Structures are given as C-alpha cells and as structure tokens.
Amino acid sequence: MIQGTLYIVSAPSGAGKSSLIQALLKTQPLYDTQVSVSHTTRAMRPGEAHGQHYFFVPVAEFERMIAEDAFLEHAQVFGNYYGTSRETIEQVLATGVDVFLDIDWQGAQQIRGKMSDARSIFILPPSKEELDRRLRGRGQDSEEVIARRMAQAVAEMTHLAEYDYLIVNDDFNTALLDLKTIIRAERLRLERQKLRHDALISKLLAD
Amino acid sequence: MIQGTLYIVSAPSGAGKSSLIQALLKTQPLYDTQVSVSHTTRAMRPGEAHGQHYFFVPVAEFERMIAEDAFLEHAQVFGNYYGTSRETIEQVLATGVDVFLDIDWQGAQQIRGKMSDARSIFILPPSKEELDRRLRGRGQDSEEVIARRMAQAVAEMTHLAEYDYLIVNDDFNTALLDLKTIIRAERLRLERQKLRHDALISKLLAD
C-alpha cells in the first residue's frame, strides 16, 4: 500500500488558510485528502460532533496520552489541551490518503521532529494592507485587540523559512491551484511512484 | 534575480521524452523554459544551425574545454564528443529561466555531482509491449538491432531510482501535465518564493 503524505499548513490568521483547505477538500475526492481531527479537552459546543470536529476527551485521558507519547504535537490554549494523535494520523496515511494538518509554527516544529516525511506549506496574505483589513474583520473590535492580532500574525510569519513551500494567497483560485499542484507533484516523487508502479517497473526491467 | 532550475530528463528511447519536452516548450512562454544546447565535435548536418541545435566546435577546442573543466558532463559517442557547457547553462539560469537537459543516466550522474540544485525526472513507457512496439518503429530493422535497443532501454531504466521524479507516459496529455506540475511546484518551493516575494515578506514582517 502506498503511504499518504502528511501536510502541515500554517499561516497567520487572515491569510485565508481555512478557506483554502476547505476548498481543496471539496475539489478532491474524499479518498485522496483528509483534514486531521485533533484531540481536545475543551467542552463540546453545540453543533460539534465527536470524531468529526474533535475527539473530545477528559483531561486525565489527554494527560495519559501525553505520558505515553501518543501525540505528534500538543499544546495548551486558554487552559484547554489540543493535540494531534500519532495513531489517528498514521491510520489514515496507511490507507494512502494525504492528511492536512492546520497548525501553527510551534506544532509544525514538533511534528517535523517526529515525522520527517511530512511536507510543510506556509500561506501568506497578499499585502500588509489586506492582512490589516482581514484582521479588522467587521470593525467591531478595539484597536488594542487588532494590534494584538497583528503582532501574533507577524510572530507566526517570522517562521515561514522553516517550511518547504510558500503560497501567496492573492487570487484565491490561483492559491488553490498552487496547493493542488504541490500535492500532485509530491505524488510524482520517485518514492511514491516506485510503489504505485511497482508491477510496471518489474516488468520493464525483466529482460 | 531569481535563479532558474536545471531539470535533467532521462528515459529509455521509446518513452516519448523528446515529444514531451517539445510540447512543454510550446505551451510555456519562451522566457520560462529552455532546452539546453550542447557542444559537439561532430559535423553539422543539413538544416542544423550553430547555437540552435548544437554549438559545433573543433576537437581541439572541445578537449581544451574538458581540460578547463568547462563541461557539466560530456561523453564520446561513435568517435564524436558531446558535452554540456557549465557557462551556457549558468547564463540561462541566471536570467530566471528553467533549463531542460535531455540526457542519459551517465550524464545525469555527472551533473548531479556538479549541480546539487538540479532536479531530475525519469520518464517510463506505459508497458513492456508498448516499449517493444515503439522500439520496432516502422518494422524495417532486424531482430538483432531491436534486441540491442531493448537491452539499452532496460540498462537506462535500471537507473530510475537515482531520479527525483518519475512520470509514466501512458496518456501523453497526462504526462505533459505531470511535467508542468513538477515545474510549477518547484517554483513554489520556499527558496524560490522567498526571492520572488522578497519585498512582500519584508513588508509583512515589519511591525
């Protein structure tokens, strides 16, 4: 069986990362690409489903999983744990499906250390002005809140050089095509193709 | 200025490599992709032009260039020298244009040693039967000649594991799309994108 590829996708908020990943999943057949479902200890919100939005687990179980090194990465945000289970990811990859992980630079660093085959993609907004406009959103937030968001966005972007690919999300459809191009090209890499065309190669080399 | 990428393309004869490269050049704007022009000591044939099909040089000059390590790779075939000049390639790459080198596994090995940034692509025919059919051509050659061609094709294919990408030329348009996908994805790699979007990145990170 051909292993899928794990893609780490990071971006400052306002770069359009989530919309791009959602659009990607819609255009690709389901068996090709999936988004990873994380574990969390936070309470389930109305409309959320266990195993679809998150795996909702008690704190004790999450901490047991940390102790057992069950996470490729995990973090604590506002008192709640969030983590990516190695087993969840590896089960999907083993079926040949590519998995997308929407994660920040810190999670990306943890995962690179544990999954050296993972590919990472950083997405940038097209300009400072556009980033500012997107971070302002509906104009209901204070300047202080917006300044904090911008500082976080800049902090995230200082790590872009750690990624394999860089996409500038200027035109949405071009950025989506960029994303698809990377996936398609990675599937053309020798290691993947050698497995896929194993029978053909054996036949061609038999003389 | 953004450096172009040097692509090494190898295949057994009968895999359709030349047609693919020709089709690629037609669909891409000229400033994007070029095929490398080699040096040779063989005589110019009717219809050939110096600097277009080859740089035709005397044996003494070719041997002087070998002594000066002017070639990324060179070989002697039926008593004539053929070689790829480092200066020719580097001048084109410096203008940001990607260069395609149509070359066998031995030339590919020489070039990898001298240009570690080069990407290499191997192209396979879709089946042994189809390869046989293509090698037979118009049916005017002896079985001995065809057997020798097949042995050469197999010898070339034993080196496919040395390449970065593998394309199976089953459907021509799919194989052409594969080739374009690789080029486009390589342009999305961080090192290329960082140079292309240098001004944007500086602006986004300035806070």
Side-chain angles (χ1 to χ4, degrees):
Chain A
M1 191 63 195
I2 305 157
Q3 278 275 116
T5 299
L6 178 62
Y7 288 97
I8 302 163
V9 187
S10 303
S13 72
K17 174 178 61 168
S18 306
S19 314
L20 278 171
I21 294 179
Q22 286 313 311
L24 177 73
L25 294 186
K26 268 184 212 153
T27 55
Q28 301 247 353
L30 197 65
Y31 61 85
D32 261 339
T33 317
Q34 277 185 19
V35 168
S36 165
V37 177
S38 302
H39 283 63
T40 186
T41 57
R42 80 152 165 75
M44 201 187 295
R45 293 175 190 154
E48 287 185 336
H50 183 79
Q52 188 186 339
H53 299 87
Y54 285 97
F55 295 106
F56 297 93
V57 294
V59 172
E61 189 180 335
F62 201 103
E63 290 180 340
R64 183 186 55 75
M65 289 176 73
I66 295 175
E68 289 170 354
D69 196 26
F71 291 113
L72 287 177
E73 61 82 34
H74 68 277
Q76 214 169 355
V77 184
F78 300 126
N80 294 309
Y81 281 120
Y82 295 84
T84 305
S85 137
R86 181 196 292 271
E87 197 186 349
T88 306
I89 300 280
E90 288 185 344
Q91 279 175 353
V92 182
L93 292 178
T95 64
V97 170
D98 290 339
V99 177
F100 276 77
L101 258 179
D102 179 339
I103 213 158
D104 71 2
W105 67 270
Q106 298 178 70
Q109 281 190 349
Q110 289 183 53
I111 287 177
R112 272 190 212 101
K114 295 188 177 180
M115 302 269 283
S116 57
D117 288 349
R119 303 283 179 220
S120 58
I121 302 170
F122 201 90
I123 299 170
L124 281 181
S127 69
K128 189 92 172 181
E129 295 69 33
E130 179 62 18
L131 178 63
D132 189 63
R133 203 185 61 73
R134 293 183 193 172
L135 290 180
R136 284 181 183 278
R138 299 190 193 111
Q140 294 170 330
D141 302 303
S142 70
E143 285 301 317
E144 198 198 322
V145 166
I146 291 160
R148 203 186 318 135
R149 278 187 202 144
M150 182 56 89
Q152 271 174 356
V154 171
E156 183 72 25
M157 290 188 289
T158 57
H159 292 273
L160 68 86
E162 297 162 17
Y163 290 71
D164 297 316
Y165 294 100
L166 183 66
I167 293 176
V168 177
N169 185 9
D170 188 354
D171 173 64
F172 185 83
N173 287 321
T174 304
L176 181 58
L177 180 59
D178 287 347
L179 207 48
K180 290 195 231 172
T181 298
I182 291 167
I183 296 165
R184 193 182 158 105
E186 287 288 341
R187 288 177 182 167
L188 292 168
R189 286 192 164 273
L190 185 84
E191 313 85 64
R192 289 279 288 262
Q193 289 283 70
K194 247 172 59 184
L195 292 170
R196 175 167 302 135
H197 298 289
D198 185 35
L200 170 66
I201 292 169
S202 300
K203 251 187 145 174
L204 285 170
L205 291 183
D207 200 30
Chain B
M1 191 62 195
I2 304 159
Q3 279 274 115
T5 298
L6 178 61
Y7 289 96
I8 302 163
V9 188
S10 302
S13 73
K17 173 178 62 168
S18 305
S19 314
L20 278 171
I21 294 178
Q22 286 312 313
L24 177 73
L25 295 186
K26 267 183 213 154
T27 56
Q28 302 248 352
L30 197 66
Y31 60 86
D32 260 340
T33 317
Q34 277 186 19
V35 167
S36 166
V37 177
S38 302
H39 283 63
T40 186
T41 57
R42 80 152 166 76
M44 201 187 294
R45 293 175 190 155
E48 287 186 336
H50 182 80
Q52 187 187 339
H53 298 87
Y54 286 97
F55 294 106
F56 297 93
V57 296
V59 173
E61 188 179 335
F62 201 102
E63 290 179 339
R64 182 188 54 74
M65 288 177 74
I66 295 175
E68 288 171 355
D69 196 27
F71 290 113
L72 288 177
E73 60 80 35
H74 68 278
Q76 213 168 358
V77 183
F78 300 127
N80 294 309
Y81 282 120
Y82 294 84
T84 305
S85 138
R86 180 195 292 271
E87 197 186 349
T88 306
I89 299 281
E90 286 184 346
Q91 280 175 353
V92 182
L93 292 178
T95 64
V97 170
D98 290 339
V99 177
F100 275 76
L101 257 178
D102 179 340
I103 213 160
D104 71 3
W105 67 270
Q106 297 177 71
Q109 281 190 349
Q110 290 182 54
I111 287 176
R112 273 189 213 102
K114 295 187 177 180
M115 300 270 282
S116 56
D117 287 350
R119 303 284 179 218
S120 57
I121 302 170
F122 201 91
I123 299 170
L124 281 181
S127 69
K128 189 91 172 182
E129 295 69 33
E130 179 63 18
L131 178 62
D132 188 64
R133 203 184 60 75
R134 292 183 194 171
L135 290 180
R136 284 182 183 278
R138 300 191 193 110
Q140 293 171 329
D141 302 303
S142 70
E143 285 301 317
E144 196 198 324
V145 167
I146 290 160
R148 202 187 317 133
R149 276 188 204 144
M150 182 56 89
Q152 272 175 356
V154 171
E156 183 73 26
M157 289 188 289
T158 58
H159 291 273
L160 69 86
E162 297 161 18
Y163 289 71
D164 296 316
Y165 294 99
L166 183 65
I167 293 176
V168 176
N169 185 10
D170 188 354
D171 174 65
F172 185 84
N173 287 322
T174 305
L176 182 58
L177 180 60
D178 287 345
L179 207 49
K180 289 195 231 171
T181 297
I182 291 167
I183 297 165
R184 194 181 158 107
E186 287 288 342
R187 287 177 183 165
L188 292 167
R189 286 192 164 271
L190 185 86
E191 313 83 66
R192 290 278 287 262
Q193 289 283 71
K194 248 172 61 184
L195 292 170
R196 175 168 303 133
H197 298 289
D198 185 34
L200 170 66
I201 292 169
S202 301
K203 251 188 145 175
L204 285 171
L205 291 182
D207 198 30

